[in-house]
Amino acid sequence: MTASHGGRDASALDKARILILGGTAEARALAARFDAGGEHRVTLSLAGRTLDPARQPVPVRTGGFGGVAGLEAYLRQEQIDLLIDATHPFARRISENADAAAKAAGVPLLRLERRGWEETETDRWIRVGSIAEAVTALGERPRRVFLAIGRQEAGAFDAAPQHHYLVRSVDPVVPPLAAPHVDYLLARGPFAVEAEVDLLKRRRIEMIVSKNSGGEATAAKIVAARILDLPVVMIDRGASGGENRAETVGEAMRLAGHLLAAPRKRGV
């Protein structure tokens, strides 16, 4: 008879179970690093909001967990040793659920969140704290606006129908905006600076709306705005907590090693 520990075969005792909440380039890179090492059993969880997600290097679980209680139950059932929240910097609800579920299940949590972009002296940023504030910041005068915020919150700009919008997203905006002047562009980063400059010129863009997501894949639009001296309505991130935080994949790997090596007591 094969000995087991807590429902796990002895042959798998040396492989910690890691759940990565993903959907970002950093999550994919982190999963690939773990997979290359072969020392852990890694599952990558995707919310399923992207219709054609990029291929992933480890087994993928798609769909939500059913809130805090559902995620806690999954952590216990799958005997997860480490939960890594590598979701989008603006996915605050998911991060809050991860924090609560990890605490309830007694599982250590690591937050991997890339650093935001930093404003330079030649940038023309209008800093706001929410989508609603971004809508107001566009002003009353009709403008040609590039919405580079994804598809999920684009509908909020129906509140300012006087503007002509160009909405770029990976998947179609459903339902489409009700505003009378809207063009849609389906594209997935990374984007080159030269291409972004050309796009903004051809579309005669006067203002850009962006979340301060950080990262290299979509930074080109910020550089292009700087080159063309265009104002950017920049939606800042909300405050985020958590003690185990990393800004890079390398930092996350090192911190994960410490967390997995530390003795702990599961919640009951």
Side-chain angles (χ1 to χ4, degrees), residues 144-204:
R144 299 184 66 85
V145 180
F146 179 31
L147 292 185
I149 58 171
R151 65 188 175 97
Q152 294 185 33
E153 297 174 291
F157 289 84
D158 279 335
Q162 71 272 26
H163 304 297
H164 191 143
Y165 296 107
L166 172 63
V167 184
R168 181 166 70 188
S169 58
V170 175
D171 297 317
V173 178
V174 180
L177 274 66
H181 307 294
V182 185
D183 295 323
Y184 299 94
L185 177 62
L186 297 181
R188 186 196 301 269
F191 303 103
V193 172
E194 295 79 4
E196 295 289 73
V197 169
D198 179 68
L199 173 67
L200 297 176
K201 285 183 175 180
R202 284 188 293 104
R203 299 289 188 145
R204 295 181 289 120

Side-chain angles (χ1 to χ4, degrees), residues 92-120:
R92 292 306 181 199
R93 177 66 63 83
I94 299 175
S95 294
E96 291 171 0
N97 289 351
D99 182 65
K103 288 177 179 176
V107 175
L109 171 67
L110 190 164
R111 170 63 174 161
L112 170 56
E113 182 176 312
R114 60 179 175 255
R115 182 177 302 175
W117 299 309
E118 296 183 0
E119 184 176 10
T120 71

Side-chain angles (χ1 to χ4, degrees), residues 12 54 67 79-80 121 143 153 169 174 184 226 230 262:
Q79 299 181 12
I80 300 300
E121 293 182 356
R143 301 173 184 270
E153 297 174 291
S169 58
V174 180
Y184 299 94
R226 186 181 305 144
L230 294 178

Side-chain angles (χ1 to χ4, degrees), residues 241-260:
E243 59 183 42
N244 300 316
R245 304 182 61 81
E247 292 184 339
T248 67
V249 172
E251 290 176 3
M253 289 293 295
R254 290 190 292 272
L255 185 52
H258 291 306
L259 292 173
L260 288 171

Side-chain angles (χ1 to χ4, degrees), residues 5 10-11 21 23 25 29 44 48 53 68 83 89-90 114 120 133 154 158 200 212 225 241 245 249 262 265:
H5 176 71
S11 59
L21 306 180
L44 182 61
V68 175
L83 175 62
F90 281 82
R114 60 179 175 255
T120 71
E133 291 180 14
D158 279 335
L200 297 176
N212 194 349
R245 304 182 61 81
V249 172
K265 181 179 180 180

